[in-house]
Amino acid sequence: MSQTKPTMERWNVHQRLQHLLLFLSVTGLVLTGFPIKYHALPWAHTVTGWVGGFRSLFGIHLTCAVLLFVASGYHLIYLLVEGLRRRVSWTMVPGWKDVRDAWHHALHLVGLRPEPPCFDRYTYLEKFEYLAVVWGMVFMGGSGLMLWFPVQAANLLPSWGLEAVRVIHSNEAFIAMLALAFGHFFAVHFHPSVFPNNEVWLTGRISLARLAEEHPAELDRLIARGKVSTADVAEALRHEEPHRPLMLWLELALYGGVFVWLLATFVPMLFA
Amino acid sequence: MTQVLVVAASVLFGLLASPGRVLAEGPAAMVTPSDQRPSTAVSVPLPENKVCLDCHSEPNQVMTKGEIQVSLYVSPEDYNSSSHRVISCVACHEEVLEQTEEQHKSLAGTILTGHALRLQMSERCGKCHAGAVLETYRQSFHWAELELGGRKTAACADCHPAHAVLPADSPRSSVAPANLPATCGQQGCHPGATPAFTAGLVHSSPTRQGPWSPVRIIWKAFIVLILFDTLKDGPIILFELVRRLRRRSSIPSLTAMEVGSHVSD
């Protein structure tokens, strides 16, 4: 009966390109960096073999690092140009609403508040992720550059500096991987309402139904400005999301297992 | 709240924790001289090594393997004044014990060269040099690269030449503080290495350092960040999944309520 699901643009072509560059470079960095971090484990040797040896492994790592710097530069220039045209969006900047939303969301998740928080264009979790990328870029990019040029870096650092830089690079790498594979992948791939893929990063478009569920405050504003018709929203909300109990149980087992493993691994390390 | 969770989780899972230990960006300390130097009562050159040095003291002696030529020369002066003068050549070159004299002289193609030799010999150093010195090297980028097949990296003997090895407090040692810039800068490894660069510890790792050393504090801070991410994302994901399972299973009773309300109308 209905043609296509009503959608609207969420990310423009620059934002999608920036995400694509970030995705490609970070994926390459993780795939070629973790075999070095875990060099004593058999799979590290397998992965090194796939790319044809250590020389290519490390060459890809450095190439992806340059690509990541390009992605960061692109983003900064984009922000600057948008700022000069007075079109820059401040929707990513955290505020008190995000603190209130986080508390509200926690209460909602444990069942103490029935209605979910009224999220705007970016939720507190998405803002946290964005800031985590900025933080990660400073720490991974900075420590990576210092390890790339250790003699020059040593002249700027105390005698324990390079050792500290290596600890930072290796552990922040784990944090970045965790934030992506655990938090981000759930949000954009394994969350039951987006499984198997949130297509914003490819098409730039979000369905009105998802907008209504995940960003109701933004949708309200769009309706008020006449950019979205209430009829379209009503139509979109008639499509109900399929219920997949088996998938939910499988995900619960998988994420529960990973959660327990992470605690069992890193809590003892805290007291080591 | 987070602290309570951390403590509770550590009590619950601490005993199960060993499988993840290898993940530690870890541990090893500043190396003390007693870690580095296997003790020995003898201090004069070992007489039996003369048999080997009779031939291998010839400076032009080379072996051809495939397309490469490998020098087989060992300087008797260097070796007999090195810390290793008291150990037998075959303690490290153990395969020689299994060769007949014919095989040894024909070189039967069994002697490793290049990367394979550096990897093999770096493992053999651990026969005597156990403890922190080995543990810290095994956690270094140098070893990671060597182990994964990289060539442009430091095997043990690249910094500590086995046939002329001397303790760091000997002025002629390759790892004496004054000689480190030259040692690190050799063969284009770290060109322009400065004393500031070589002042850093190579045989070191956070868990072996004192509790208030900067490197250890930074390491712990990042473990806290890893746990923060775990405790932020884990419960959000798990509660979201549980909420969805429960919401669906409660739908029939909602419908029943609706039906009931219609009936009472």
Side-chain angles (χ1 to χ4, degrees), chain A:
Chain A
M1 56 173 218
S2 71
Q3 326 80 340
T4 50
K5 277 199 268 176
T7 61
M8 67 164 302
E9 182 174 82
R10 181 164 170 81
W11 277 5
N12 66 28
V13 68
H14 291 289
Q15 293 168 318
R16 274 177 279 156
L17 266 173
Q18 286 164 27
H19 178 273
L20 190 69
L21 278 174
L22 187 66
F23 159 65
L24 289 175
S25 59
V26 171
T27 305
L29 285 163
V30 169
L31 290 180
T32 54
F34 273 65
I36 299 174
K37 180 172 168 74
Y38 298 118
H39 54 86
L41 302 180
W43 60 260
H45 295 254
T46 313
V47 176
T48 309
W50 286 344
V51 296
F54 186 87
R55 240 179 98 108
S56 6
L57 185 86
F58 202 54
I60 297 169
H61 195 74
L62 297 182
T63 308
C64 288
V66 172
L67 198 64
L68 181 57
F69 280 114
V70 170
S72 311
Y74 186 179
H75 183 62
L76 292 177
I77 292 169
Y78 173 77
L79 284 182
L80 191 71
V81 171
E82 292 285 283
L84 290 174
R85 293 157 112 193
R86 304 201 175 279
R87 290 200 330 202
V88 74
S89 161
W90 300 105
T91 49
M92 194 55 98
V93 179
W96 282 113
K97 182 184 184 311
D98 296 301
V99 179
R100 287 197 304 272
D101 278 358
W103 178 241
H104 184 164
H105 191 216
L107 293 177
H108 175 64
L109 283 173
V110 298
L112 292 175
R113 273 187 84 164
E115 84 290 354
C118 188
F119 289 127
D120 207 327
R121 179 169 168 83
Y122 290 112
T123 69
Y124 76 99
L125 287 170
E126 288 167 325
K127 292 181 184 183
F128 186 90
E129 260 190 68
Y130 175 81
L131 292 176
V133 173
V134 175
W135 152 284
M137 197 42 224
V138 171
F139 276 83
M140 289 312 285
S143 61
L145 264 184
M146 289 184 192
L147 292 173
W148 196 349
F149 302 102
V151 175
Q152 288 78 0
N155 293 333
L156 309 169
L157 297 171
S159 64
W160 46 267
L162 277 181
E163 202 190 340
V165 163
R166 189 158 174 255
V167 169
I168 291 171
H169 199 72
S170 175
N171 286 284
E172 176 62 25
F174 192 90
I175 294 171
M177 184 282 296
L178 188 66
L180 291 171
F182 198 54
H184 187 62
F185 271 34
F186 179 75
V188 299
H189 292 300
F190 295 106
H191 193 291
S193 70
V194 296
F195 185 83
N197 184 24
N198 177 340
E199 284 175 0
V200 174
W201 71 287
L202 293 169
T203 64
R205 305 192 72 82
I206 184 171
S207 77
L208 292 185
R210 290 250 332 287
L211 206 59
E213 187 189 332
E214 289 170 23
H215 308 284
E218 184 187 14
L219 185 61
D220 285 349
R221 216 172 38 245
L222 291 168
I223 292 171
R225 284 188 201 155
K227 297 203 171 166
V228 173
S229 78
T230 42
D232 279 350
V233 176
E235 166 64 25
L237 288 175
R238 285 176 47 197
H239 300 277
E240 222 189 317
E241 151 201 336
H243 184 45
R244 310 182 185 95
L246 180 65
M247 190 186 84
L248 290 174
W249 281 113
L250 278 176
E251 284 195 19
L252 203 55
L254 180 74
Y255 280 101
V258 173
F259 181 61
V260 168
W261 178 83
L262 284 166
L263 289 177
T265 301
F266 289 101
V267 170
M269 225 178 266
L270 195 61
F271 301 104

Side-chain angles (χ1 to χ4, degrees), chain B residues 213-227:
Chain B
S213 76
V215 174
R216 194 180 165 96
I217 290 170
I218 290 170
W219 177 56
K220 293 284 181 179
F222 276 87
I223 299 297
V224 169
L225 287 176
I226 291 174
L227 284 168

Side-chain angles (χ1 to χ4, degrees), chain A residues 150 154 157-164, chain B residues 30 180 184 194-204 209 215:
Chain A
L157 297 171
S159 64
W160 46 267
L162 277 181
E163 202 190 340
Chain B
M30 294 163 68
L180 272 175
C184 301
T194 56
F197 174 69
T198 59
L201 298 165
V202 172
H203 287 282
S204 177
Q209 297 193 359
V215 174

